Amino acid sequence: MLYVLAASLGLVIGSFLNVCIYRLPRDQSIAWPASRCTTCGRPLSWYENVPVLSYLVLRGRCRTCGEGISAMYPIVEAVTSALFVLLAWHFGPTPLLFVRIVFACAMVVLFVIDLQHQILPNEITLPGIVVGLACSVFLEPGWRDALIGAVAGGGSLWLLAEAYRRLRHKDGLGFGDVKMLAMIGAFLGWKLMLLTLVFASFTGSFVAIALMLARRADWQSKLPLGTFLALAAVPASVIGEAIVNWYLGFY
Ligand SMILES: [Zn+2]
């Protein structure tokens, strides 16, 4: 019953995350107006707005202008729904489940926006730092771990960005990445923040090498670090604790 509820709620929230993903980088309001076709601007009726199903029934095209609808919409809805079920299964009906769901939603939005626009909107990262710290006063990882996580996460990337800027005289890392890692530290604490950074660096390097081998990128190309941080932070928020304990078990 909990899983059915989580899956349906995930689809509906995923649909709302799509609105955020489309409108935040364009500086549009996320509350108004109702969803429209992004090509012809016609407002969508309720049956064109059903998560995943509408995309399948309409075969990925607008009924009026026939323009293709990005497959990213149903994918975001399906992934959000799957994440809700996964988190509900792992955390059960607890206050921490609610916090980790909010965190996962923010990661989904940042993942797609950084991939598409190479930005990480302050509207997500700054309130994210505050909410993460506030929740950590009452729940895992505790305020001390969260505060260290936020300062160490943001601080280390900020130092790296400054060093790179002075040495190479150009920007290699954005301040969006700095704020995003601070947010991850605030929600997950410093241990899982470090784990996220390690995961993200590994997958980022792996993808960079693969792209260079396929000649789709070179040493000058920029990869969206935020996308990799988001990709790493969600599994870290679920199985990170187990990995850290297993690792510390060696000592
Ligand atoms: Zn249209």
Side-chain angles (χ1 to χ4, degrees):
M1 188 58 208
L2 176 67
Y3 302 138
V4 176
L5 188 71
S8 336
L9 199 62
L11 285 174
V12 175
I13 301 286
S15 186
F16 170 69
L17 298 186
N18 274 323
V19 174
C20 299
I21 288 168
Y22 185 81
R23 295 186 184 177
L24 280 180
R26 292 172 174 83
D27 281 324
Q28 296 172 354
S29 160
I30 54 168
W32 182 93
S35 301
R36 293 157 181 274
C37 168
T38 56
T39 307
C40 66
R42 180 179 58 83
L44 302 180
S45 41
W46 67 268
Y47 60 87
E48 292 170 296
N49 237 333
V50 183
V52 183
L53 271 183
S54 289
Y55 182 87
L56 297 176
V57 170
L58 298 170
R59 298 213 186 86
R61 305 210 160 272
C62 170
R63 271 193 317 126
T64 315
C65 66
E67 200 57 45
I69 304 164
S70 167
M72 193 62 100
Y73 294 101
I75 291 173
V76 164
E77 287 156 358
V79 167
T80 307
S81 176
L83 286 177
F84 272 50
V85 174
L86 177 76
L87 291 167
W89 169 71
H90 188 265
F91 291 103
T94 56
L96 190 61
L97 169 65
F98 180 74
V99 176
R100 293 293 158 95
I101 277 181
V102 169
F103 178 71
C105 288
M107 292 300 119
V108 169
V109 171
L110 293 176
F111 175 91
V112 183
I113 294 182
D114 201 28
L115 190 64
Q116 293 179 336
H117 304 273
Q118 289 75 51
I119 52 169
L120 295 160
N122 283 337
E123 287 94 330
I124 305 272
T125 52
L126 293 181
I129 296 172
V130 176
V131 171
L133 287 175
C135 293
S136 299
V137 173
F138 309 101
L139 296 165
E140 274 175 47
W143 69 270
R144 211 181 287 255
D145 266 25
L147 194 61
I148 298 172
V151 173
S156 57
L157 278 194
W158 181 76
L159 281 176
L160 209 63
E162 266 303 297
Y164 190 91
R165 201 172 59 83
R166 290 191 185 192
L167 289 170
R168 305 286 297 269
H169 299 290
K170 59 176 185 175
D171 288 327
L173 271 169
F175 271 94
D177 301 311
V178 171
K179 284 170 270 185
M180 184 177 174
L181 196 59
M183 173 187 173
I184 292 171
F187 268 95
L188 303 185
W190 65 271
K191 289 191 205 96
L192 299 191
M193 179 279 291
L194 275 180
L195 189 71
T196 301
L197 191 56
V198 172
F199 273 170
S201 312
F202 268 121
T203 37
S205 316
F206 185 77
V207 169
I209 291 168
L211 286 176
M212 280 195 271
L213 288 177
R215 298 187 187 282
R216 297 277 301 272
D218 57 41
W219 289 107
Q220 300 299 318
S221 306
K222 261 191 182 177
L223 282 182
L225 178 61
T227 292
F228 291 104
L229 286 176
L231 199 62
V234 173
S237 80
V238 182
I239 51 166
E241 205 81 36
I243 294 176
V244 168
N245 289 337
W246 169 78
Y247 182 75
L248 293 178
F250 282 127
Y251 293 92

PDB file of all heavy atoms in Angstrom, residues 124-150:
ATOM      1  N   ILE A 124      17.280  26.564  -6.122  1.00  0.00           N
ATOM      2  CA  ILE A 124      17.299  25.213  -5.544  1.00  0.00           C
ATOM      3  C   ILE A 124      18.418  25.094  -4.507  1.00  0.00           C
ATOM      4  O   ILE A 124      18.194  24.646  -3.382  1.00  0.00           O
ATOM      5  CB  ILE A 124      17.535  24.148  -6.641  1.00  0.00           C
ATOM      6  CG1 ILE A 124      16.531  24.258  -7.769  1.00  0.00           C
ATOM      7  CG2 ILE A 124      17.576  22.747  -6.015  1.00  0.00           C
ATOM      8  CD1 ILE A 124      15.278  23.498  -7.593  1.00  0.00           C
ATOM      9  N   THR A 125      19.643  25.500  -4.881  1.00  0.00           N
ATOM     10  CA  THR A 125      20.795  25.205  -4.018  1.00  0.00           C
ATOM     11  C   THR A 125      20.774  26.001  -2.716  1.00  0.00           C
ATOM     12  O   THR A 125      21.067  25.435  -1.662  1.00  0.00           O
ATOM     13  CB  THR A 125      22.120  25.470  -4.765  1.00  0.00           C
ATOM     14  OG1 THR A 125      22.104  26.787  -5.314  1.00  0.00           O
ATOM     15  CG2 THR A 125      22.341  24.470  -5.878  1.00  0.00           C
ATOM     16  N   LEU A 126      20.442  27.282  -2.759  1.00  0.00           N
ATOM     17  CA  LEU A 126      20.498  28.091  -1.529  1.00  0.00           C
ATOM     18  C   LEU A 126      19.439  27.681  -0.496  1.00  0.00           C
ATOM     19  O   LEU A 126      19.791  27.396   0.650  1.00  0.00           O
ATOM     20  CB  LEU A 126      20.431  29.591  -1.858  1.00  0.00           C
ATOM     21  CG  LEU A 126      21.659  30.134  -2.621  1.00  0.00           C
ATOM     22  CD1 LEU A 126      21.516  31.629  -2.875  1.00  0.00           C
ATOM     23  CD2 LEU A 126      22.957  29.840  -1.885  1.00  0.00           C
ATOM     24  N   PRO A 127      18.128  27.586  -0.899  1.00  0.00           N
ATOM     25  CA  PRO A 127      17.179  27.059   0.081  1.00  0.00           C
ATOM     26  C   PRO A 127      17.546  25.633   0.484  1.00  0.00           C
ATOM     27  O   PRO A 127      17.293  25.227   1.622  1.00  0.00           O
ATOM     28  CB  PRO A 127      15.826  27.084  -0.643  1.00  0.00           C
ATOM     29  CG  PRO A 127      16.029  27.815  -1.896  1.00  0.00           C
ATOM     30  CD  PRO A 127      17.478  27.962  -2.166  1.00  0.00           C
ATOM     31  N   GLY A 128      18.157  24.888  -0.431  1.00  0.00           N
ATOM     32  CA  GLY A 128      18.571  23.512  -0.143  1.00  0.00           C
ATOM     33  C   GLY A 128      19.539  23.442   1.020  1.00  0.00           C
ATOM     34  O   GLY A 128      19.417  22.572   1.889  1.00  0.00           O
ATOM     35  N   ILE A 129      20.512  24.361   1.058  1.00  0.00           N
ATOM     36  CA  ILE A 129      21.483  24.384   2.164  1.00  0.00           C
ATOM     37  C   ILE A 129      20.746  24.628   3.483  1.00  0.00           C
ATOM     38  O   ILE A 129      20.961  23.927   4.481  1.00  0.00           O
ATOM     39  CB  ILE A 129      22.550  25.480   1.926  1.00  0.00           C
ATOM     40  CG1 ILE A 129      23.379  25.161   0.659  1.00  0.00           C
ATOM     41  CG2 ILE A 129      23.473  25.616   3.142  1.00  0.00           C
ATOM     42  CD1 ILE A 129      24.321  26.269   0.227  1.00  0.00           C
ATOM     43  N   VAL A 130      19.830  25.608   3.474  1.00  0.00           N
ATOM     44  CA  VAL A 130      19.106  25.979   4.701  1.00  0.00           C
ATOM     45  C   VAL A 130      18.209  24.826   5.174  1.00  0.00           C
ATOM     46  O   VAL A 130      18.246  24.440   6.346  1.00  0.00           O
ATOM     47  CB  VAL A 130      18.249  27.244   4.445  1.00  0.00           C
ATOM     48  CG1 VAL A 130      17.422  27.588   5.677  1.00  0.00           C
ATOM     49  CG2 VAL A 130      19.144  28.413   4.044  1.00  0.00           C
ATOM     50  N   VAL A 131      17.432  24.250   4.239  1.00  0.00           N
ATOM     51  CA  VAL A 131      16.510  23.159   4.605  1.00  0.00           C
ATOM     52  C   VAL A 131      17.304  21.949   5.107  1.00  0.00           C
ATOM     53  O   VAL A 131      16.940  21.321   6.103  1.00  0.00           O
ATOM     54  CB  VAL A 131      15.618  22.769   3.396  1.00  0.00           C
ATOM     55  CG1 VAL A 131      14.811  21.512   3.682  1.00  0.00           C
ATOM     56  CG2 VAL A 131      14.692  23.920   3.032  1.00  0.00           C
ATOM     57  N   GLY A 132      18.413  21.632   4.415  1.00  0.00           N
ATOM     58  CA  GLY A 132      19.240  20.492   4.825  1.00  0.00           C
ATOM     59  C   GLY A 132      19.762  20.661   6.244  1.00  0.00           C
ATOM     60  O   GLY A 132      19.677  19.738   7.061  1.00  0.00           O
ATOM     61  N   LEU A 133      20.279  21.851   6.543  1.00  0.00           N
ATOM     62  CA  LEU A 133      20.807  22.114   7.889  1.00  0.00           C
ATOM     63  C   LEU A 133      19.694  22.064   8.930  1.00  0.00           C
ATOM     64  O   LEU A 133      19.849  21.476  10.000  1.00  0.00           O
ATOM     65  CB  LEU A 133      21.506  23.479   7.928  1.00  0.00           C
ATOM     66  CG  LEU A 133      22.864  23.578   7.218  1.00  0.00           C
ATOM     67  CD1 LEU A 133      23.376  25.008   7.239  1.00  0.00           C
ATOM     68  CD2 LEU A 133      23.887  22.641   7.849  1.00  0.00           C
ATOM     69  N   ALA A 134      18.524  22.664   8.598  1.00  0.00           N
ATOM     70  CA  ALA A 134      17.411  22.716   9.540  1.00  0.00           C
ATOM     71  C   ALA A 134      16.918  21.308   9.876  1.00  0.00           C
ATOM     72  O   ALA A 134      16.689  20.988  11.048  1.00  0.00           O
ATOM     73  CB  ALA A 134      16.269  23.557   8.958  1.00  0.00           C
ATOM     74  N   CYS A 135      16.778  20.451   8.865  1.00  0.00           N
ATOM     75  CA  CYS A 135      16.299  19.081   9.114  1.00  0.00           C
ATOM     76  C   CYS A 135      17.321  18.289   9.914  1.00  0.00           C
ATOM     77  O   CYS A 135      16.956  17.417  10.716  1.00  0.00           O
ATOM     78  CB  CYS A 135      16.029  18.361   7.792  1.00  0.00           C
ATOM     79  SG  CYS A 135      14.666  19.052   6.864  1.00  0.00           S
ATOM     80  N   SER A 136      18.614  18.578   9.718  1.00  0.00           N
ATOM     81  CA  SER A 136      19.669  17.817  10.388  1.00  0.00           C
ATOM     82  C   SER A 136      19.745  18.124  11.883  1.00  0.00           C
ATOM     83  O   SER A 136      20.387  17.389  12.637  1.00  0.00           O
ATOM     84  CB  SER A 136      21.022  18.094   9.734  1.00  0.00           C
ATOM     85  OG  SER A 136      20.996  17.697   8.391  1.00  0.00           O
ATOM     86  N   VAL A 137      19.072  19.193  12.312  1.00  0.00           N
ATOM     87  CA  VAL A 137      19.023  19.477  13.750  1.00  0.00           C
ATOM     88  C   VAL A 137      18.252  18.361  14.461  1.00  0.00           C
ATOM     89  O   VAL A 137      18.573  17.956  15.574  1.00  0.00           O
ATOM     90  CB  VAL A 137      18.350  20.849  14.004  1.00  0.00           C
ATOM     91  CG1 VAL A 137      18.126  21.082  15.491  1.00  0.00           C
ATOM     92  CG2 VAL A 137      19.202  21.968  13.399  1.00  0.00           C
ATOM     93  N   PHE A 138      17.217  17.815  13.769  1.00  0.00           N
ATOM     94  CA  PHE A 138      16.343  16.813  14.386  1.00  0.00           C
ATOM     95  C   PHE A 138      16.645  15.389  13.941  1.00  0.00           C
ATOM     96  O   PHE A 138      16.331  14.440  14.641  1.00  0.00           O
ATOM     97  CB  PHE A 138      14.880  17.131  14.056  1.00  0.00           C
ATOM     98  CG  PHE A 138      14.499  18.544  14.368  1.00  0.00           C
ATOM     99  CD1 PHE A 138      14.418  19.498  13.362  1.00  0.00           C
ATOM    100  CD2 PHE A 138      14.240  18.916  15.680  1.00  0.00           C
ATOM    101  CE1 PHE A 138      14.077  20.804  13.652  1.00  0.00           C
ATOM    102  CE2 PHE A 138      13.897  20.226  15.973  1.00  0.00           C
ATOM    103  CZ  PHE A 138      13.828  21.175  14.955  1.00  0.00           C
ATOM    104  N   LEU A 139      17.186  15.254  12.722  1.00  0.00           N
ATOM    105  CA  LEU A 139      17.316  13.917  12.135  1.00  0.00           C
ATOM    106  C   LEU A 139      18.763  13.659  11.732  1.00  0.00           C
ATOM    107  O   LEU A 139      19.643  14.505  11.924  1.00  0.00           O
ATOM    108  CB  LEU A 139      16.427  13.820  10.893  1.00  0.00           C
ATOM    109  CG  LEU A 139      14.915  13.958  11.131  1.00  0.00           C
ATOM    110  CD1 LEU A 139      14.218  14.209   9.815  1.00  0.00           C
ATOM    111  CD2 LEU A 139      14.369  12.721  11.805  1.00  0.00           C
ATOM    112  N   GLU A 140      19.014  12.456  11.130  1.00  0.00           N
ATOM    113  CA  GLU A 140      20.319  12.138  10.583  1.00  0.00           C
ATOM    114  C   GLU A 140      20.720  13.200   9.572  1.00  0.00           C
ATOM    115  O   GLU A 140      19.854  13.681   8.847  1.00  0.00           O
ATOM    116  CB  GLU A 140      20.250  10.777   9.862  1.00  0.00           C
ATOM    117  CG  GLU A 140      20.463   9.593  10.786  1.00  0.00           C
ATOM    118  CD  GLU A 140      20.253   8.311  10.012  1.00  0.00           C
ATOM    119  OE1 GLU A 140      20.800   8.200   8.902  1.00  0.00           O
ATOM    120  OE2 GLU A 140      19.536   7.444  10.506  1.00  0.00           O
ATOM    121  N   PRO A 141      21.968  13.550   9.437  1.00  0.00           N
ATOM    122  CA  PRO A 141      23.147  13.046  10.144  1.00  0.00           C
ATOM    123  C   PRO A 141      23.461  13.823  11.422  1.00  0.00           C
ATOM    124  O   PRO A 141      24.527  13.635  11.995  1.00  0.00           O
ATOM    125  CB  PRO A 141      24.250  13.286   9.109  1.00  0.00           C
ATOM    126  CG  PRO A 141      23.813  14.526   8.396  1.00  0.00           C
ATOM    127  CD  PRO A 141      22.320  14.507   8.372  1.00  0.00           C
ATOM    128  N   GLY A 142      22.565  14.671  11.916  1.00  0.00           N
ATOM    129  CA  GLY A 142      22.847  15.518  13.085  1.00  0.00           C
ATOM    130  C   GLY A 142      23.470  16.835  12.639  1.00  0.00           C
ATOM    131  O   GLY A 142      24.130  16.904  11.607  1.00  0.00           O
ATOM    132  N   TRP A 143      23.238  17.887  13.424  1.00  0.00           N
ATOM    133  CA  TRP A 143      23.630  19.234  12.960  1.00  0.00           C
ATOM    134  C   TRP A 143      25.141  19.385  12.809  1.00  0.00           C
ATOM    135  O   TRP A 143      25.627  20.080  11.931  1.00  0.00           O
ATOM    136  CB  TRP A 143      23.063  20.315  13.881  1.00  0.00           C
ATOM    137  CG  TRP A 143      23.682  20.359  15.251  1.00  0.00           C
ATOM    138  CD1 TRP A 143      23.254  19.677  16.346  1.00  0.00           C
ATOM    139  CD2 TRP A 143      24.834  21.099  15.652  1.00  0.00           C
ATOM    140  NE1 TRP A 143      24.067  19.938  17.403  1.00  0.00           N
ATOM    141  CE2 TRP A 143      25.042  20.813  17.019  1.00  0.00           C
ATOM    142  CE3 TRP A 143      25.701  21.977  15.002  1.00  0.00           C
ATOM    143  CZ2 TRP A 143      26.098  21.368  17.734  1.00  0.00           C
ATOM    144  CZ3 TRP A 143      26.749  22.540  15.718  1.00  0.00           C
ATOM    145  CH2 TRP A 143      26.938  22.237  17.062  1.00  0.00           C
ATOM    146  N   ARG A 144      25.921  18.702  13.675  1.00  0.00           N
ATOM    147  CA  ARG A 144      27.373  18.863  13.625  1.00  0.00           C
ATOM    148  C   ARG A 144      27.934  18.324  12.302  1.00  0.00           C
ATOM    149  O   ARG A 144      28.673  19.014  11.592  1.00  0.00           O
ATOM    150  CB  ARG A 144      27.990  18.106  14.793  1.00  0.00           C
ATOM    151  CG  ARG A 144      29.263  18.712  15.320  1.00  0.00           C
ATOM    152  CD  ARG A 144      29.789  17.867  16.451  1.00  0.00           C
ATOM    153  NE  ARG A 144      28.984  18.016  17.661  1.00  0.00           N
ATOM    154  CZ  ARG A 144      29.387  18.715  18.721  1.00  0.00           C
ATOM    155  NH1 ARG A 144      30.557  19.310  18.711  1.00  0.00           N
ATOM    156  NH2 ARG A 144      28.626  18.809  19.789  1.00  0.00           N
ATOM    157  N   ASP A 145      27.537  17.072  11.952  1.00  0.00           N
ATOM    158  CA  ASP A 145      27.977  16.448  10.696  1.00  0.00           C
ATOM    159  C   ASP A 145      27.512  17.259   9.487  1.00  0.00           C
ATOM    160  O   ASP A 145      28.218  17.386   8.493  1.00  0.00           O
ATOM    161  CB  ASP A 145      27.400  15.025  10.588  1.00  0.00           C
ATOM    162  CG  ASP A 145      28.385  14.001  11.119  1.00  0.00           C
ATOM    163  OD1 ASP A 145      29.219  14.391  11.949  1.00  0.00           O
ATOM    164  OD2 ASP A 145      28.301  12.830  10.705  1.00  0.00           O
ATOM    165  N   ALA A 146      26.274  17.776   9.573  1.00  0.00           N
ATOM    166  CA  ALA A 146      25.698  18.514   8.459  1.00  0.00           C
ATOM    167  C   ALA A 146      26.441  19.833   8.236  1.00  0.00           C
ATOM    168  O   ALA A 146      26.745  20.211   7.103  1.00  0.00           O
ATOM    169  CB  ALA A 146      24.216  18.767   8.710  1.00  0.00           C
ATOM    170  N   LEU A 147      26.748  20.513   9.365  1.00  0.00           N
ATOM    171  CA  LEU A 147      27.442  21.802   9.265  1.00  0.00           C
ATOM    172  C   LEU A 147      28.847  21.601   8.691  1.00  0.00           C
ATOM    173  O   LEU A 147      29.273  22.325   7.785  1.00  0.00           O
ATOM    174  CB  LEU A 147      27.505  22.451  10.644  1.00  0.00           C
ATOM    175  CG  LEU A 147      27.886  23.933  10.664  1.00  0.00           C
ATOM    176  CD1 LEU A 147      26.847  24.751   9.893  1.00  0.00           C
ATOM    177  CD2 LEU A 147      27.973  24.446  12.099  1.00  0.00           C
ATOM    178  N   ILE A 148      29.565  20.585   9.207  1.00  0.00           N
ATOM    179  CA  ILE A 148      30.894  20.279   8.667  1.00  0.00           C
ATOM    180  C   ILE A 148      30.777  19.921   7.181  1.00  0.00           C
ATOM    181  O   ILE A 148      31.569  20.369   6.355  1.00  0.00           O
ATOM    182  CB  ILE A 148      31.562  19.112   9.446  1.00  0.00           C
ATOM    183  CG1 ILE A 148      31.764  19.500  10.917  1.00  0.00           C
ATOM    184  CG2 ILE A 148      32.897  18.729   8.811  1.00  0.00           C
ATOM    185  CD1 ILE A 148      32.230  18.361  11.804  1.00  0.00           C
ATOM    186  N   GLY A 149      29.742  19.138   6.841  1.00  0.00           N
ATOM    187  CA  GLY A 149      29.523  18.720   5.458  1.00  0.00           C
ATOM    188  C   GLY A 149      29.318  19.906   4.532  1.00  0.00           C
ATOM    189  O   GLY A 149      29.898  19.968   3.446  1.00  0.00           O
ATOM    190  N   ALA A 150      28.478  20.856   4.962  1.00  0.00           N
ATOM    191  CA  ALA A 150      28.190  22.018   4.126  1.00  0.00           C
ATOM    192  C   ALA A 150      29.436  22.883   3.946  1.00  0.00           C
ATOM    193  O   ALA A 150      29.773  23.294   2.829  1.00  0.00           O
ATOM    194  CB  ALA A 150      27.058  22.835   4.757  1.00  0.00           C
TER     195      ALA A 150
END
